[in-house]
Amino acid sequence: MLNLTHARSFVTVIAARGVRAAARQLDLAPSTIVDHIRQLEEVLAAPLVVRQRGGAMPTDQGARFLPLARSLVETASRVRSLIHLPVLRLAASSNVGTYLLQPHIAVFRQRAGVPVEQWIGSNADVAARLERGEADVAAMEWWDGRPGFTARTWTREPLVVIVGPDHRWARLGSVSVAELQGEPLLGGESGTGTGYLLRQQLGPLAKSLTIIDGFGNTEAVKRAVRAGHGASIVMEASVADEVATEQLVALRIEGAQLAKEIKLIVPESLPPTAPAMAMFEASLSWERGLTI
């Protein structure tokens, strides 16, 4: 079993280019550092350090081990800080983190007095971070019900069709599915669950829609729609500013109630006193439109 103290000594010897310099940095005796390296080499059954006139250098095996050793030492340091400091690691899918969560995070941080570390990325990457233990709570546009976690619907966010102010639909207020079939619909980030929702609500008609993917994110989609390249279907909150300033027009789809259930997810094993549980409980007031 690798010893983290030994790994730290190895990393420091290579960074300081010598045993004596590493000993000074770590406030240890040089003989202790040498013993750490020896024990580490015994565990790995390979020489890791060669001492030359110019200083200590990694062997070929040591060079391969070095990035892993650094990662182990950095992870151990991060674990200690997370345990001893109340911090909430929040991972949110792109649109949820950008357009919905920020006001609530600000209020939570102020009222609960807990620092919030935010990470925003794709829905799939958020789920992966949560499963790897790199996030305490996740906010996503979908959740697949994988075991070991508790999920709650925070809010339902309507979806709207957006077009530019000069588009032929701009004064209609709503459009039919038949009209959507003849219009290019620009798609942003993949894996958001919008396609699944369209199939669920529109049935076979969803297959007749012309989806043009590849725009990467909602901001790129909005700019393309404003430029007249087509329409799109997005969360209403994501275009609130552009609709208010008349840069875009938001339309309803006739005969369909399109809305995403935004989920908050936490590990089942979290203790009740964890900061993530405080945010999880606070979300009950968010969905009622209240402040914490």
Side-chain angles (χ1 to χ4, degrees):
M1 182 69 69
L2 286 175
N3 185 301
L4 286 173
T5 301
H6 299 169
R8 183 184 64 165
S9 293
F10 168 69
V11 169
T12 308
V13 165
I14 300 304
R17 299 181 65 84
V19 169
R20 292 187 179 280
R24 286 193 294 271
Q25 288 188 27
L26 297 175
D27 196 23
L28 295 172
S31 60
T32 300
I33 298 291
V34 171
D35 189 54
H36 287 174
I37 301 299
R38 179 187 59 79
Q39 292 186 61
L40 194 58
E41 290 176 331
E42 288 180 359
V43 170
L44 296 176
L48 300 176
V49 177
V50 57
R51 298 172 70 177
Q52 301 173 337
R53 180 172 298 180
M57 301 290 291
T59 63
D60 290 343
Q61 296 96 324
R64 289 194 292 272
F65 176 59
L66 184 58
L68 300 176
R70 285 177 180 147
S71 179
L72 287 171
V73 173
E74 291 170 1
T75 299
S77 177
R78 182 168 174 79
V79 166
R80 284 194 295 271
S81 67
L82 288 175
I83 289 175
H84 294 292
L85 291 176
V87 61
L88 176 67
R89 299 174 301 164
L90 169 65
S93 60
S94 300
N95 290 330
V96 176
T98 302
Y99 302 111
L100 293 175
L101 270 180
Q102 296 307 318
H104 301 293
I105 292 173
V107 173
F108 174 81
R109 189 166 48 210
Q110 180 183 17
R111 299 289 177 85
V114 175
V116 179
E117 291 183 3
Q118 298 183 57
W119 187 92
I120 297 176
S122 70
N123 283 267
D125 287 341
V126 168
R129 289 181 74 87
L130 187 65
E131 197 154 44
R132 291 195 303 264
E134 296 173 2
D136 304 310
V137 60
M140 298 176 60
E141 295 179 53
W142 53 259
W143 177 245
D144 55 14
R146 64 190 70 185
F149 299 90
T150 300
R152 167 184 292 159
T153 297
W154 162 36
T155 188
R156 288 175 57 84
E157 178 62 22
L159 297 185
V160 294
V161 177
I162 57 169
V163 297
D166 298 325
H167 195 277
R168 65 185 185 280
W169 297 343
R171 299 183 183 277
L172 294 182
S174 64
V175 292
S176 66
V177 176
E179 289 173 304
L180 287 176
Q181 290 173 323
E183 182 73 10
L185 296 177
L186 312 183
E189 178 188 317
S190 62
T192 63
T194 300
Y196 172 79
L197 185 60
L198 289 174
R199 292 190 295 273
Q200 189 180 50
Q201 292 291 322
L202 305 182
L205 291 174
K207 294 182 180 180
S208 64
L209 301 178
T210 303
I211 309 294
I212 302 175
D213 290 320
F215 285 86
N217 56 60
T218 300
E219 287 300 311
V221 165
K222 290 191 292 185
R223 288 181 177 274
V225 169
R226 285 168 55 186
H229 296 309
S232 187
I233 299 176
V234 299
M235 292 197 308
E236 188 173 44
S238 70
V239 292
D241 292 343
E242 289 84 357
V243 170
T245 56
E246 300 183 348
Q247 298 176 71
L248 290 171
V249 177
L251 311 167
R252 302 291 178 182
I253 300 177
E254 296 171 5
Q257 297 293 324
L258 294 180
K260 285 189 178 179
E261 290 191 355
I262 309 302
K263 301 287 188 179
L264 287 185
I265 308 103
V266 294
E268 288 179 349
S269 58
L270 277 184
T273 54
M277 292 304 298
M279 174 172 275
F280 199 61
E281 295 304 320
S283 68
L284 290 174
S285 63
W286 299 353
E287 64 182 329
R288 292 194 298 266
L290 305 175
T291 56
I292 300 171

